[in-house]
């Protein structure tokens, strides 16, 4: 299903041109317009979903295998030494386009692409409670 005012729906459908590196029935993989590194790509489902919570079960089940295929091709074609797979949900997480997408970011030794967080300290009791609350909320 498409959403009328969604730019990634238009790109995924091929109505807006893109640098496509892979396409199948469900997905189009394009190069990011503002790449963090050479080859930075986005996996776009052709069916609109706002974010991971909205993604169909079929797309959820196959999105990682598409990403893994493209990532393997990047290693061959671009000789990158590492790859980050990143996926943002919600403004606080840095999502700027409300159509689910998975970033595939090739990494090169000494590059300046930043996909990092500040490692915090964990309290064992707090961790236990946090794990319990997530487990209890699993459906
Ligand atoms: P996010 O911050 O996770 O929502 O990522 C959105 C990404 O989409 C950013 O990396 C943008 O550079 C990229 N982007 C936005 N518009 C386009 C476009 N028209 N074509 C390709 N990439 C785009
Ligand atoms: Zn869309």
């Amino acid at each position: 299903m498409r959403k009328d005012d969604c730019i990634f729906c238009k790109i995924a459908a091929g109505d807006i041109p893109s640098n496509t590196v892979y396409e199948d029935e469900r997905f189009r993989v394009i190069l990011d317009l503002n790449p963090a590194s050479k080859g930075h790509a986005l996996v776009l489902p052709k069916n609109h979903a706002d974010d991971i919570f909205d993604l169909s079960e079929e797309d959820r089940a196959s999105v990682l295998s598409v990403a893994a295929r493209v990532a393997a091709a990047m290693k061959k074609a671009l000789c990158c030494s590492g790859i980050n797979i990143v996926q943002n949900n919600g403004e606080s997480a840095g999502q700027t386009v409300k159509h689910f997408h998975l970033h595939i970011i090739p990494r090169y030794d000494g590059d300046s692409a930043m996909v990092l967080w500040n490692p915090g300290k964990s309290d064992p009791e707090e961790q236990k409670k946090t794990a319990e609350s997530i487990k209890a909320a699993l459906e």
Side-chain angles (χ1 to χ4, degrees), residues 1-3 6-10 45 47-49 98-99:
M1 213 84 79
R2 281 176 64 164
K3 200 173 164 193
C6 174
I7 184 161
F8 279 6
C9 277
K10 293 187 176 110
N47 281 323
H48 180 89
K98 275 232 142 203
H99 174 123

Side-chain angles (χ1 to χ4, degrees), residues 7-94:
I7 184 161
F8 279 6
C9 277
K10 293 187 176 110
I11 293 173
D15 295 348
I16 294 179
S18 62
N19 288 299
T20 295
V21 301
Y22 174 85
E23 186 183 3
D24 63 22
E25 264 181 27
R26 293 188 164 279
F27 298 98
R28 182 187 291 269
V29 183
I30 64 165
L31 291 187
D32 195 293
L33 197 58
N34 308 110
S37 67
K38 184 180 172 180
H40 180 171
L42 303 172
V43 184
L44 309 179
K46 292 184 175 178
N47 281 323
H48 180 89
D50 283 351
D51 52 30
I52 197 166
F53 307 108
D54 196 26
L55 198 63
S56 71
E57 226 171 292
E58 294 93 328
D59 282 355
R60 258 192 252 171
S62 43
V63 67
L64 207 55
S65 67
V66 169
R69 261 185 90 182
V70 173
M74 283 172 172
K75 281 190 105 174
K76 253 197 211 169
L78 306 174
C79 301
C80 50
S81 50
I83 296 211
N84 291 114
I85 306 273
V86 183
Q87 200 272 307
N88 301 324
N89 299 282
E91 264 178 51
S92 61

